[in-house]
Amino acid sequence: MIVTTTNTIEGRKIVEYRGIVFGEVITGINMFKDMGAGLRNIFGGRSQGYEDELSQARSNALRELQERAAAQGANAVVGVDVDYEILGADNGMLMVSASGTAVVVQ
């Protein structure tokens, strides 16, 4: 399946629009990752635990987007946008949302 942020696919013709599709993932960051990130905040450096969690959440959201597009009979998704939000009373949850238009291309 082709997934792109552009509204067209070079060399391909969109022959049918199947609708808007979404992929959402909400994940919690555990206490150990918080502690590691807190130390990185004091001493400097990158937080590998947070980066891994973000990367995994983004991959899962895009995979869910593709699965929903395929369920609608699409073979591509155009105009993809990925958004990130912090949720929860203590800002301990991360939401990654991907959206786009499911299409059939030749």
Side-chain angles (χ1 to χ4, degrees):
M1 174 162 306
I2 299 170
V3 177
T4 181
T5 58
T6 61
N7 292 321
T8 61
I9 300 170
E10 188 174 339
R12 300 286 186 102
K13 179 181 178 185
I14 295 174
V15 295
E16 189 175 348
Y17 289 86
R18 296 290 176 109
I20 299 171
V21 288
F22 298 91
E24 302 97 3
V25 172
I26 299 175
T27 184
I29 305 300
N30 68 36
M31 176 180 71
F32 299 109
K33 288 181 185 173
D34 279 343
M35 288 173 29
L39 292 173
R40 296 284 189 284
N41 195 29
I42 294 169
F43 298 110
R46 296 171 63 168
S47 173
Q48 189 65 43
Y50 278 174
E51 288 177 2
D52 291 345
E53 193 71 34
L54 178 62
S55 179
Q56 176 116 13
R58 183 176 46 245
S59 294
N60 289 341
L62 288 169
R63 183 173 46 253
E64 188 173 296
L65 172 91
Q66 292 176 55
E67 289 170 359
R68 290 180 177 173
Q72 291 185 12
N75 62 357
V77 183
V78 296
V80 173
D81 180 46
V82 179
D83 292 313
Y84 307 89
E85 290 288 329
I86 303 298
L87 304 172
D90 60 353
N91 292 330
M93 303 293 285
L94 171 67
M95 180 180 75
V96 179
S97 173
S99 61
T101 303
V103 296
V104 175
V105 296
Q106 288 181 326

